């Protein structure tokens, strides 16, 4: 295989959405209907019902209220969803990914204001830019200088991003409940009054359970399954809307004028302002649309919304308003909703389609929740979870079992607890508008810091959209006791979890940095390191990018033997969606050549799929071999000093030397040291050969080092993992002891370890336990 061509193909795959064909774009646009737009497409089920629920406003014969609500719905949908999200925010993708945390990651890379260990701190981001050559010349704006100077602002920025993330998770709990319950509530018009009370709740719960049970099939299959349902639903509501406009009130288009918003607020005053909490629901799904950007492409999402979703929604809302404007004899304002405007002969078929569409509507936010938790987990802001990649071609299509079942349990709990659309809608409204406010604020920073636009443009964006959203936010917050407390409570719980995990991860990283062993200590041991060197490769996992981890000294002082080749492996998840293959491996040497000590840093983006253990081992050895060959040509002194600046000693390896391998039999004689279990030192023998090009100039010393690496590879590879226990040191405050000793340790014990650890064969793994006094 041509390795250079393979690297180019992989790089092109990392930029997969650029240069895509129109056919592929239209196919993605069709799929996006089933995943992205189900939520916003089902909002006509409950917007008018929520706006007129309670005693905020009443439907009068003058129709000022219904016209005003229609005007608010139209302009909110147009300004927030169409202009803000579809035309502006979707452009702020982080390497093809979207969502609140993607915006934060994008800002941190341009400002160097990150607080995330493992590729997200200020120093590590500067190093990442140097190595990959992405630094460039950026104009230093006053906003950027202030953010880089004051650490308190960096902490507030992170907390702000986490708040938006927590609200998205809360929305993931509430949206399925609201959508499904609103669809099922159509039974009250199709059944006797007493019967529907006993059927609605069990039917809604059964549908929710089925919805979450389908998630493990993946976005691709779910999208193809659900897209026809959304298409039928949009066709259905637009046709019914058009019929109602023609049949009941063809002058309803006049209500699209902003004048009717003024008339509405002038007449209803406080009641009209409070009803905005229900009107707000017309834009639910806008944030999920942005969070799901990684599953599709910007152009496909824009085409689907502008050409199909937006016109259908406008017709649907106008049709409902046209019907309601000619009917004033409802039993109560709570019955003003979608189903009353459906012709009686079509109610049962529409009810079935609505229930199916509500299931699709829930899919959008569930998928977005998976995406945003994956980002947080990769950047050390959420405990480790199992991430299942459901597509071999699209990295963003994932499934997280723990989160899926947690969302299902919480969703069923709020559905059974509230049992009505009013309280559920109040809860959902606050979650939706809070995320939108966070996105607006972060987006204004992106305009200045990432797009290098005028600060006045950013302020204008913030003031225009921020004013609209603050108005809706205030109306939603007033209904705290009527259900709005739910997203606040859920967000507080998730915020505590994220902050505790982030704090503990930072303290662990700081302990590693402060307690690393100096290189001089290692050099004083001599080439044998003061112990017996046995055949094989020892792979020591560490979080450090420089220095010797304390776990190594702890290991060699307790065991009498170690491998002939030692590799200090640091796997970093950096705050970019994808790392190009030619930039993934950084290889360096520790001490003189005869020590056979290497340092390898492997970098993954928060959307990258880590390879399985066998493929990774082979690529790791190939890159070390290429490092030996390339440095042998220019380094004649045989010594590369290990300083605290990784860029001074690490070399990016674009393409490793091809390695041919064939499995062999286990050879117990591979370990010359008696008392050492060959299963741990040389678990499996392999026949290995490096395919060095004939044109390459390789001297005898380099060939000898490559031969030793090849022999070590044949003897086998062992993995040494640190198993740390966090404990607050004596004299710590009471709060710190509670956070570290109980909360963080509880989360650590009940979360999954690093993804690379899950792929390591257990027979080749050795864990070294250490207590971290932080």
């Amino acid at each position: 295989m041509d390795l250079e061509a393979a690297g180019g193909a992989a790089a092109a795959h990392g930029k997969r959405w650029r240069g895509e064909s129109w056919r592929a774009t239209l196919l993605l646009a069709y799929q996006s209907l089933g995943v992205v737009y189900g939520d916003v497409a089902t909002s006509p089920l409950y917007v008018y019902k929520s706006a007129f629920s309670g005693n905020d406003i009443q439907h009068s014969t003058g129709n000022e209220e219904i016209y005003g609500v229609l005007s608010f719905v139209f302009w909110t949908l147009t300004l927030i969803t169409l202009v803000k999200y579809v035309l502006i925010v979707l452009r702020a993708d982080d390497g093809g990914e979207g969502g609140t945390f993607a915006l934060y990651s994008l800002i941190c890379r341009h400002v160097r204001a990150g607080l995330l260990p493992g590729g997200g701190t200020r120093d590590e981001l500067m190093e990442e830019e140097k190595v990959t050559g992405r630094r460039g010349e950026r104009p230093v704006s006053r906003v950027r200088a202030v953010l880089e100077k004051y650490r308190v602002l960096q902490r507030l920025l992170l907390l702000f991003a986490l708040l938006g993330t927590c609200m998205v998770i809360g929305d993931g709990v509430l949206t399925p409940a609201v959508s499904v319950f609103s669809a099922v509530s159509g039974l009250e018009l199709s059944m006797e009054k007493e019967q529907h009370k006993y059927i609605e709740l069990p039917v809604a719960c059964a549908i929710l359970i089925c919805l979450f049970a389908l998630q493990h099939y993946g976005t691709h299959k779910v999208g193809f399954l659900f897209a026809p349902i959304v298409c039928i639903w949009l066709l259905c509501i637009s046709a019914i809307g058009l019929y109602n406009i023609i049949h009941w009130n063809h002058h309803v288009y006049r209500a699209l004028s902003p004048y009717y918003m003024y008339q509405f607020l002038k007449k209803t005053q406080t009641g009209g302002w409070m009803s905005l909490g229900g009107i707000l629901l017309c834009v639910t799904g806008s944030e999920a649309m942005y969070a799901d950007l990684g599953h599709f492409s910007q152009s496909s999402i824009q085409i689907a919304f502008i050409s199909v979703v937006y016109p259908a929604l406008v017709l649907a809302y106008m049709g409902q308003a046209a019907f309601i404007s000619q009917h004033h004899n409802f039993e109560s304002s709570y019955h003003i909703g979608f189903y009353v405007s459906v012709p009686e002969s079509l109610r049962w078929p529409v009810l079935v389609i609505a229930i199916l569409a509500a299931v699709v509507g829930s899919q959008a936010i569930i998928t977005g929740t998976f995406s945003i938790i994956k980002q947080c987990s990769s950047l050390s802001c959420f405990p480790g979870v199992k991430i299942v990649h459901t597509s071999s071609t699209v990295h963003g299509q994932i499934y997280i079992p723990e989160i899926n079942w947690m969302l299902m349990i919480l969703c069923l709990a709020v559905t059974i607890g509230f049992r009505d659309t009013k309280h559920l809608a109040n809860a959902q409204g606050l979650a939706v508008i809070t995320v939108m406010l966070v996105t607006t604020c972060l987006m204004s920073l992106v305009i200045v810091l990432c797009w290098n636009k005028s600060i006045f443009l950013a302020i204008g964006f913030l003031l225009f959209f921020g004013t609209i959203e603050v108005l809706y936010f205030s109306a939603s917050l007033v209904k705290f006791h009527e259900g709005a407390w739910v997203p606040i409570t859920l967000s507080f719980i998730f915020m505590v979890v994220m902050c505790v995990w982030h704090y503990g991860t930072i303290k662990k990283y700081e302990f590693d940095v402060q307690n690393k062993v100096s290189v001089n200590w290692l050099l004083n041991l001599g080439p044998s390191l003061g112990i017996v060197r046995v055949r094989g490769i020892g792979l020591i996992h560490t979080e450090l990018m420089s220095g010797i981890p304390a776990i190594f000294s702890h290991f060699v002082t307790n065991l009498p033997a170690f491998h002939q080749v030692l590799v200090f492996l640091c796997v970093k998840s950096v705050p970019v969606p994808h790392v190009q293959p030619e930039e993934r491996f950084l290889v360096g040497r520790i001490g003189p050549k005869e020590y056979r000590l290497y340092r390898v840093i492997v970098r993954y983006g928060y959307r990258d799929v880590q390879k399985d253990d066998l493929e990774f081992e082979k690529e790791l050895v190939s890159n070390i071999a290429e490092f030996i060959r390339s440095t042998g040509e220019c380094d004649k002194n045989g010594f590369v000093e290990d300083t605290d600046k990784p860029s001074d000693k690490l070399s990016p390896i674009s393409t490793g030397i091809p390695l041919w391998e064939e499995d062999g039999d286990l050879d117990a004689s591979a370990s010359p040291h008696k008392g050492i279990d060959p299963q741990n030192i040389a678990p499996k023998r392999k026949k290995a050969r490096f395919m060095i090009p004939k044109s390459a100039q390789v001297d005898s010393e380099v060939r000898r080092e490559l031969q030793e690496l090849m022999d070590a590879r044949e003897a086998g590879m062992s993995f040494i993992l640190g198993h740390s226990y966090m404990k607050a040191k004596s004299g710590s405050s009471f709060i710190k002891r509670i956070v570290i000793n109980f909360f963080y340790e509880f989360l650590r014990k009940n979360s999954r370890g690093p993804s690379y650890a899950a792929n390591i064969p257990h027979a080749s793994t050795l864990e070294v336990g250490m207590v971290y006094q932080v």
Side-chain angles (χ1 to χ4, degrees):
M1 177 179 178
D2 187 348
L3 295 178
E4 185 176 352
H13 181 69
K15 302 174 182 177
R16 61 192 182 281
W17 302 128
R18 297 179 184 177
E20 60 187 357
S21 66
W22 274 103
R23 182 178 178 181
T25 302
L26 293 176
L27 180 62
L28 283 174
Y30 170 74
Q31 279 186 276
S32 70
L33 291 174
V35 177
V36 176
Y37 289 117
D39 190 2
V40 70
T42 54
S43 55
L45 285 170
Y46 46 80
V47 169
Y48 284 112
K49 190 172 188 176
S50 301
F52 284 93
S53 64
N55 299 316
D56 297 337
I57 56 176
Q58 301 295 328
H59 179 39
S60 64
T61 55
N63 288 328
E64 291 91 348
E65 293 83 4
I66 189 62
Y67 288 162
V69 170
L70 173 60
S71 186
F72 265 104
V73 166
F74 172 76
W75 286 105
T76 303
L77 186 67
T78 301
L79 294 177
I80 299 296
T81 306
L82 178 61
V83 177
K84 177 187 166 183
Y85 277 96
V86 175
L87 299 182
I88 300 177
V89 175
L90 281 181
R91 295 175 56 211
D93 64 296
D94 186 22
E97 308 300 332
T100 308
F101 221 77
L103 281 178
Y104 172 75
S105 155
L106 191 63
I107 293 170
C108 285
R109 288 209 318 280
H110 286 76
V111 178
R112 297 173 186 159
L115 298 170
L116 307 174
T121 61
R122 171 191 171 108
D123 295 336
E124 289 173 347
L125 285 173
M126 293 174 68
E127 173 58 26
E128 188 266 336
E129 286 181 338
K130 284 183 181 179
V131 175
T132 59
R134 290 195 185 100
R135 186 173 185 176
E137 293 296 330
R138 299 192 190 103
V140 181
S141 66
R142 184 173 298 178
V143 177
R144 178 184 170 190
V146 170
L147 272 177
E148 289 184 345
K149 182 178 180 181
Y150 296 103
R151 200 163 182 81
V152 63
L153 294 179
Q154 298 169 18
R155 292 193 177 97
L156 287 176
L157 184 64
L158 176 62
L159 287 175
F160 208 53
L162 291 181
L163 172 63
T165 302
C166 293
M167 282 294 181
V168 170
I169 299 173
D171 195 15
V173 173
L174 295 165
T175 294
V178 175
S179 300
V180 172
F181 203 88
S182 298
V184 174
S185 65
L187 292 171
E188 64 183 318
L189 297 178
S190 304
M191 302 178 66
E192 294 183 10
K193 185 174 295 186
E194 296 300 323
Q195 290 181 343
H196 75 84
K197 293 181 180 179
Y198 303 103
I199 295 178
E200 283 182 2
L201 188 61
V203 170
C205 292
I207 292 172
L208 289 171
I209 293 173
C210 293
L211 167 66
F212 286 99
L214 282 174
Q215 295 304 312
H216 71 278
Y217 288 107
T219 306
H220 179 77
K221 294 180 180 178
V222 171
F224 268 110
L225 176 66
F226 286 168
I229 297 173
V230 177
C231 289
I232 295 172
W233 169 251
L234 290 172
L235 179 63
C236 177
I237 61 174
S238 57
I240 293 173
L242 190 61
Y243 166 79
N244 285 329
I245 293 171
I246 297 172
H247 188 266
W248 295 108
N249 185 358
H250 59 274
H251 295 296
V252 73
Y253 68 88
R254 297 175 181 172
L256 301 182
S257 169
Y259 171 76
Y260 285 89
M261 290 191 289
Y262 167 74
Q263 288 291 97
F264 172 76
L265 291 176
K266 181 180 179 181
K267 179 180 179 180
T268 57
Q269 298 182 356
T270 304
W273 166 66
M274 294 181 68
S275 71
L276 294 179
I279 297 172
L280 160 70
L281 299 178
C282 69
V283 293
T284 57
S286 300
E287 188 67 33
M289 171 184 66
Y290 179 47
D292 287 335
L293 182 59
H295 294 246
F296 300 99
S297 66
Q298 176 185 329
S299 56
S300 64
I301 292 177
Q302 290 174 330
I303 289 171
F305 185 82
I306 295 174
S307 62
V308 179
V309 180
Y310 180 72
L313 289 176
V314 172
L315 284 175
Y317 287 120
M318 289 177 64
Q320 287 187 57
F323 178 88
I324 295 171
S325 66
Q326 300 300 315
H327 296 79
H328 302 86
N329 56 345
F330 298 106
E331 294 182 19
S332 69
S333 60
Y334 186 71
H335 289 109
I336 298 177
F338 171 75
Y339 287 105
V340 296
S341 64
V342 178
E344 193 169 349
S345 59
L346 297 177
R347 278 181 186 167
W348 275 107
V350 171
L351 175 64
V352 174
I353 299 172
I355 291 175
L356 294 174
V359 172
V360 180
S362 306
Q363 177 64 36
I365 190 62
I366 293 172
T367 306
T369 303
F370 290 159
S371 299
I372 208 163
I373 286 182
K374 165 68 163 58
Q375 297 173 19
C376 293
S377 181
S378 297
L379 298 178
S380 304
C381 282
F382 198 86
V385 291
K386 180 181 180 181
I387 296 172
V388 180
H389 293 268
T390 59
S391 172
S392 59
T393 57
V394 182
H395 293 293
Q397 297 187 0
I398 59 173
Y399 165 68
I400 305 178
E402 297 97 329
I403 301 300
N404 184 65
W405 302 122
M406 180 193 69
L407 289 177
M408 186 190 77
I409 293 171
L410 292 174
C411 187
L412 290 173
V414 297
T415 303
I416 296 172
F418 285 136
R419 302 190 182 193
D420 67 75
T421 312
K422 175 184 175 182
H423 290 84
L424 288 171
N426 290 339
Q428 185 191 19
L430 183 60
V432 168
I433 197 61
T434 304
V435 179
M436 289 183 173
L437 266 172
V438 171
T439 300
T440 298
C441 295
L442 294 178
M443 189 64 205
S444 62
L445 290 176
V446 168
I447 292 174
V448 174
L449 302 172
C450 306
W451 293 354
N452 297 321
K453 301 296 183 182
S454 169
I455 190 173
F456 297 106
L457 182 63
I459 293 174
F461 178 90
L462 179 64
L463 290 178
F464 181 75
F465 292 107
T467 302
I468 297 172
E469 290 161 359
V470 165
L471 180 66
Y472 282 112
F473 178 79
S474 61
S476 298
L477 197 60
V478 168
K479 299 184 178 182
F480 180 85
H481 295 289
E482 298 179 18
W485 58 270
V486 172
I488 294 177
T489 304
L490 290 175
S491 298
F492 176 77
I493 294 172
F494 282 108
M495 179 72 83
V496 169
V497 170
M498 289 183 174
C499 290
V500 167
W501 187 259
H502 176 66
Y503 177 75
T505 304
I506 284 183
K507 289 300 178 184
K508 180 178 180 295
Y509 181 76
E510 290 176 351
F511 181 91
D512 283 332
V513 173
Q514 294 168 3
N515 292 274
K516 64 183 179 182
V517 180
S518 67
V519 178
N520 290 332
W521 172 84
L522 187 68
L523 298 178
N524 292 333
L525 295 177
S528 67
L529 302 182
I531 56 178
V532 177
R533 301 292 289 271
V534 297
R535 292 188 65 191
I537 298 176
L539 210 59
I540 303 172
H541 287 273
T542 173
E543 295 294 324
L544 299 176
M545 298 177 70
S546 63
I548 308 300
I551 185 179
F552 177 71
S553 62
H554 183 69
F555 183 87
V556 297
T557 54
N558 288 278
L559 290 178
F562 215 83
H563 305 80
Q564 70 184 96
V565 174
L566 292 180
V567 179
F568 293 94
L569 177 65
C570 176
V571 179
K572 291 292 183 184
S573 183
V574 295
V576 295
H578 303 286
V579 175
Q580 302 301 323
E582 62 270 16
E583 299 173 352
R584 189 175 308 284
F585 282 85
L586 301 176
V587 184
R589 192 191 305 278
I590 301 176
K593 284 186 176 182
E594 59 267 22
Y595 279 57
R596 302 299 188 250
L597 302 180
Y598 307 95
R599 183 186 309 283
V600 179
I601 296 177
V602 187
R603 297 174 299 175
Y604 289 98
Y606 56 77
R607 287 291 191 179
D608 282 330
V609 181
Q610 298 188 16
K611 298 181 179 180
D612 59 62
D613 59 300
L614 295 178
E615 189 177 356
F616 176 78
E617 290 176 26
K618 187 175 180 180
E619 190 172 0
L620 176 68
V621 175
S622 297
N623 280 277
I624 295 176
E626 173 59 25
F627 168 78
I628 294 171
R629 188 197 66 80
S630 59
T631 55
E633 298 177 356
C634 57
D635 180 20
K636 300 300 183 182
N637 297 324
F639 181 84
V640 178
E641 185 179 359
D642 187 348
T643 67
D644 288 333
K645 298 180 180 179
S647 61
D648 293 341
K649 60 178 176 39
L650 297 178
S651 303
I653 306 298
S654 58
T655 304
I657 296 179
L659 178 65
W660 173 84
E661 290 185 340
E662 181 181 353
D663 290 339
D665 297 327
L666 181 68
D667 185 5
S669 65
S671 173
H673 185 81
K674 296 180 180 179
I676 300 299
D677 184 2
Q679 288 290 339
N680 289 330
I681 296 298
K684 193 172 185 179
R685 287 187 59 84
K686 287 179 177 290
K687 295 180 180 179
R689 294 291 182 272
F690 289 118
M691 313 299 289
I692 302 176
K694 294 182 179 179
S695 59
Q697 299 294 327
V698 181
D699 59 27
S700 58
E701 187 176 356
V702 171
R703 286 188 179 276
R704 186 166 54 253
E705 189 173 0
L706 287 174
Q707 183 64 44
E708 286 192 28
L709 178 63
M710 189 167 58
D711 293 342
R713 174 58 180 159
E714 288 183 352
M717 186 177 291
S718 296
F719 301 84
I720 292 85
L721 301 176
H723 196 74
S724 60
Y725 299 88
M726 297 275 286
K727 187 176 181 180
K729 56 187 176 183
S730 58
S732 300
S733 64
F734 175 76
I735 296 178
K736 183 177 180 180
R737 291 201 302 270
I738 293 294
V739 169
I740 296 295
N741 297 350
F742 295 98
F743 288 163
Y744 180 80
E745 277 299 295
F746 174 81
L747 292 174
R748 184 189 63 80
K749 292 176 181 177
N750 291 278
S751 62
R752 296 181 181 266
S755 55
Y756 59 79
N759 294 325
I760 295 174
H762 295 292
S764 307
T765 304
L766 179 64
E767 290 193 359
V768 182
M770 285 190 67
V771 177
Y772 282 36
Q773 298 279 349
V774 298

